[in-house]
Amino acid sequence: MKRIGFIDWYLDEWLANNLPAWICDSARNTAPDGSKRFEITMAYAAVDNPGGLSTDDWCAKFGIARAATIEALVAGCDCVVVLSPDHPEKHEALAAVALASGKPVYIDKTFAPDKDAAIRMFERAKACGTPMYSTSALRYAQECRSVREAGLGPDEVSLVSTRGPGVIDNYGIHQVEMIQTLMGTGTRRVLMQGPAETPTFLFQKEGGRTAVVQHLPWAGFSVLVHGQPGNAGGMSADAAKEPVGLAFDVVKDFWGPFADELLRFFDTGVATVPEAETIEAVAMIEAGAKAARQPGVWINL
């Protein structure tokens, strides 16, 4: 059995409260003899949740041992999850020991507060031979698979328009991750339009491609996609197939597929989310936050 350790700023938060069940229930967590292959055995928090359970009470609730230090947790576990979803500015410090351990490390979204910090964490992990990745669970939304099933690769998607709740430097990561999943890298600049309460962010990518992030407090996640199968790699328009347009609400379970992917990563040490996409996603959010302060002005990444 592989031992998983949780590192968090404070533990009584939504993801830490739900991830144990998703890991336990993942199909990848059941061995042929019915036993569990992974177990969360230790947890560490820098502070108690000021408005919720203390670290001791959280650990008692979930039957997980409290680690006195991050060093003790990393030494006592086979793989590490760094949470702190609402405080990405804490990730670099919270993950420093784990990233030097050589053990697989998952760092929750939003990965980093800025591009420079994102690059530093990847460089530390690579220098120490530590497998590491980060993602929003929305990357694994089953509805997004329909885009690939329609024959649209990243270079063939000319437009992705997303809608969802939140603000650009918090929940914005979910929409940005779906954009990166469907379009890949190549974002050059961003412009914000509309009122601050319901802003729209227009991202320009290489080749005239466009991505849109629209924040509506009352809206669920939805996506519009347009592209032309075969229209990649310089292929002529005559050789390309008919354009494809797709529209879907994200309503199916994406936490289950995320937990499956997390355990696959802990098994193999191989991340399927490209480093370049994660760094660019952070850069998009960083530039988007700047654009929000200067409506109507293009901000370069």
Side-chain angles (χ1 to χ4, degrees):
M1 182 188 69
K2 291 188 176 181
R3 300 161 297 174
I4 300 173
F6 277 10
I7 298 174
D8 212 333
W9 181 241
Y10 54 76
L11 279 161
D12 188 20
E13 44 89 0
W14 189 86
L15 189 55
N17 289 337
N18 287 277
L19 190 54
W22 297 328
I23 289 175
C24 181
D25 294 342
S26 169
R28 295 192 66 94
N29 198 10
T30 303
D33 65 0
S35 63
K36 292 299 183 183
R37 302 178 57 248
F38 295 88
E39 183 179 351
I40 304 164
T41 57
M42 299 178 73
Y44 169 89
V47 300
D48 290 338
N49 184 337
L53 294 177
S54 68
T55 303
D56 284 334
D57 287 343
W58 187 93
C59 288
K61 176 181 177 180
F62 286 91
I64 297 170
R66 177 178 183 174
T69 64
I70 291 176
E71 289 80 2
L73 181 143
V74 173
C77 293
D78 304 299
C79 34
V80 178
V81 173
V82 178
L83 294 165
S84 189
D86 294 323
H87 297 279
E89 73 280 3
K90 308 294 186 182
H91 281 165
E92 190 170 7
L94 290 173
V97 174
L99 292 182
S101 70
K103 300 177 180 181
V105 178
Y106 168 76
I107 300 179
D108 192 39
K109 51 70 192 156
T110 303
F111 177 59
D114 54 61
K115 182 180 178 181
D116 289 344
I119 292 172
R120 286 195 302 269
M121 283 192 282
F122 272 107
E123 288 180 344
R124 181 174 179 81
K126 285 185 285 187
C128 298
T130 300
M132 183 266 288
Y133 90 111
S134 177
T135 187
S136 157
L138 268 292
R139 179 178 282 268
Y140 304 108
Q142 297 177 43
E143 291 87 353
C144 289
R145 298 177 188 174
S146 64
V147 177
R148 296 291 176 259
E149 292 168 356
L152 289 173
D155 293 336
E156 297 162 335
V157 175
S158 58
L159 168 69
V160 173
S161 181
T162 63
R163 183 181 64 192
V167 293
I168 189 64
D169 54 357
N170 186 352
Y171 258 51
I173 185 60
H174 298 304
Q175 295 179 64
V176 167
E177 284 274 6
M178 288 191 287
I179 288 168
Q180 294 299 85
T181 301
L182 298 174
M183 303 185 81
T185 57
T187 309
R188 291 294 173 253
R189 59 179 186 165
V190 58
L191 176 142
M192 183 275 230
Q193 295 177 314
E197 296 79 10
T198 55
T200 296
F201 296 86
L202 179 65
F203 291 92
Q204 285 190 347
K205 286 182 171 277
E206 292 174 338
R209 299 184 301 150
T210 301
V212 178
V213 169
Q214 185 178 30
H215 289 304
L216 300 174
W218 62 87
F221 290 107
S222 62
V223 183
L224 302 174
V225 181
H226 184 269
Q228 195 164 358
N231 192 25
M235 182 177 290
S236 68
D238 292 339
K241 300 177 183 178
E242 289 297 315
V244 172
L246 300 169
F248 49 85
D249 295 325
V250 180
V251 295
K252 296 180 181 178
D253 172 44
F254 45 80
W255 289 111
F258 164 71
D260 292 344
E261 170 60 20
L262 179 64
L263 298 190
R264 187 209 60 76
F265 167 70
F266 285 157
D267 261 336
T268 65
V270 178
T272 56
V273 178
E275 172 186 336
E277 288 188 14
T278 299
I279 292 175
E280 185 173 289
V282 171
M284 290 169 71
I285 290 172
E286 182 181 11
K290 293 178 181 177
R293 297 190 291 270
Q294 303 178 66
V297 177
W298 285 104
I299 302 297
N300 294 326
L301 265 63

